[in-house]
Amino acid sequence: GNSVTQMEGPVTLSEEAFLTINCTYTATGYPSLFWYVQYPGEGLQLLLKATKADDKGSNKGFEATYRKETTSFHLEKGSVQVSDSAVYFCALMDNFNKFYFGSGTKLNVKP
Amino acid sequence: DAGITQSPRHKVTETGTPVTLRCHQTENHRYMYWYRQDPGHGLRLIHYSYGVKDTDKGEVSDGYSVSRSKTEDFLLTLESATSSQTSVYFCAISESGGRASTYNSPLHFGNGTRLTVT
C-alpha cells in the first residue's frame, strides 16, 4: 500500500542554519508529492508540491525535489528563521485523489 | 485561506454519546475529507467524499460515519463516542476533478475540532 515515512523530530537548529527533513515514500502508480506546514493551533497549510519525477517544488525559501529513483522528497532550506518553527508533514496523493501523510517533524529554530 | 469552517472548534463529551462534527466549504470543491491527528501518527484518513452522496472509507473508519447531502457540507458522526476517539479532527477539501487544470490539486485544511471523550 501507499505510505510516507519522514524523519522523527524534534529537529533543533540555530537561526541561519541549513535545514534538511528527510521524506521517503512507497506508492503504486505515479503519485504527486507535497510538503505541508502546521503552526500551533492551526490546520495544515500547503508549503510546496511536485507532480512528477525530477520536478522541484519551492516556496518561501524551501525546496524539495521529486526523486523517483530513491523514492524521496526531502525538504531543504538554506537559512532557517525563528518564524519557521512549526511541524512539517510530507504527503503523497495517489491516482484516486487519496492523500497519505507522514507522522510529522517538529522544527525548533533558536535565535 | 480557503473557505472552510469547522464546527464546533472544541467539544467535550461523555463515552457512549453521539457526536456530529460539521465541515462547511464555500469553494464548491468536489472532494472533501475527514482526518484525525494524533501524536506519533500524523494525519490519518477517516472518510472522504468525491461528490454529493458519494463517500468512501479511509484507513481508520471504524466507529465513524459520514454524510454529504450538499456540496458544501460534510458531516462526521461518532455514533457512540469512545475515549480512543479523543483527537483533533481536520476537514480538508480539494478541487481535483475532471478538468485538467485541477489535476493534482492540493488539500486545503480547516482549523480543526478538538474533541475530548471522557
Side-chain angles (χ1 to χ4, degrees):
Chain A
N2 298 329
S3 67
V4 175
T5 302
Q6 60 183 105
M7 62 189 290
E8 290 192 22
V11 173
T12 301
L13 296 173
S14 298
E15 206 164 24
E16 300 184 2
F18 185 86
L19 168 71
T20 300
I21 300 178
N22 291 337
C23 171
T24 57
Y25 67 90
T26 302
T28 54
Y30 303 95
S32 295
L33 301 175
F34 304 83
W35 276 101
Y36 283 83
V37 59
Q38 184 181 33
Y39 299 101
E42 298 183 8
L44 279 69
Q45 302 172 24
L46 177 67
L47 182 59
L48 53 85
K49 72 174 187 179
T51 58
K52 61 183 187 297
D54 300 324
D55 266 3
K56 177 185 283 188
S58 60
N59 186 27
K60 300 180 182 179
F62 292 90
E63 58 182 35
T65 302
Y66 188 163
R67 301 284 188 202
K68 197 171 191 305
E69 64 275 14
T70 54
T71 62
S72 64
F73 192 54
H74 304 322
L75 181 69
E76 297 181 336
K77 187 175 185 183
S79 176
V80 294
Q81 305 301 311
V82 172
S83 57
D84 293 326
S85 297
V87 181
Y88 292 82
F89 291 90
C90 184
L92 72 83
M93 183 183 78
D94 67 13
N95 295 340
F96 301 97
N97 289 103
K98 290 176 73 172
F99 285 74
Y100 299 83
F101 287 83
S103 56
T105 302
K106 186 173 184 179
L107 172 65
N108 296 317
V109 180
K110 297 187 173 182
Chain B
D1 287 346
I4 308 170
T5 304
Q6 291 187 232
S7 58
R9 290 297 314 277
H10 302 272
K11 186 168 181 66
V12 179
T13 192
E14 293 184 350
T15 298
T17 60
V19 177
T20 295
L21 308 183
R22 180 178 183 240
C23 178
H24 178 80
Q25 61 146 329
T26 57
E27 306 296 321
N28 201 36
H29 284 356
R30 178 181 173 191
Y31 283 80
M32 299 185 75
Y33 306 77
W34 277 107
Y35 286 88
R36 59 178 288 174
Q37 183 177 29
D38 304 288
H41 291 278
L43 275 79
R44 292 180 291 176
L45 180 64
I46 305 172
H47 283 278
Y48 72 107
S49 169
Y50 47 95
V52 173
K53 298 193 189 310
D54 291 324
T55 65
D56 204 353
K57 295 179 179 180
E59 59 184 310
V60 289
S61 59
D62 287 349
Y64 302 94
S65 62
V66 291
S67 66
R68 191 164 178 204
S69 58
K70 297 185 290 185
T71 298
E72 57 266 35
D73 290 326
F74 193 33
L75 304 181
L76 176 70
T77 297
L78 291 66
E79 300 291 347
S80 177
T82 68
S83 58
S84 65
Q85 293 175 312
T86 292
S87 186
V88 180
Y89 292 85
F90 286 100
C91 174
I93 65 175
S94 171
E95 191 180 5
S96 288
R99 292 182 290 122
S101 62
T102 66
Y103 293 165
N104 303 310
S105 292
L107 289 178
H108 299 282
F109 285 84
N111 284 328
T113 294
R114 183 173 294 277
L115 176 68
T116 303
V117 183
T118 61

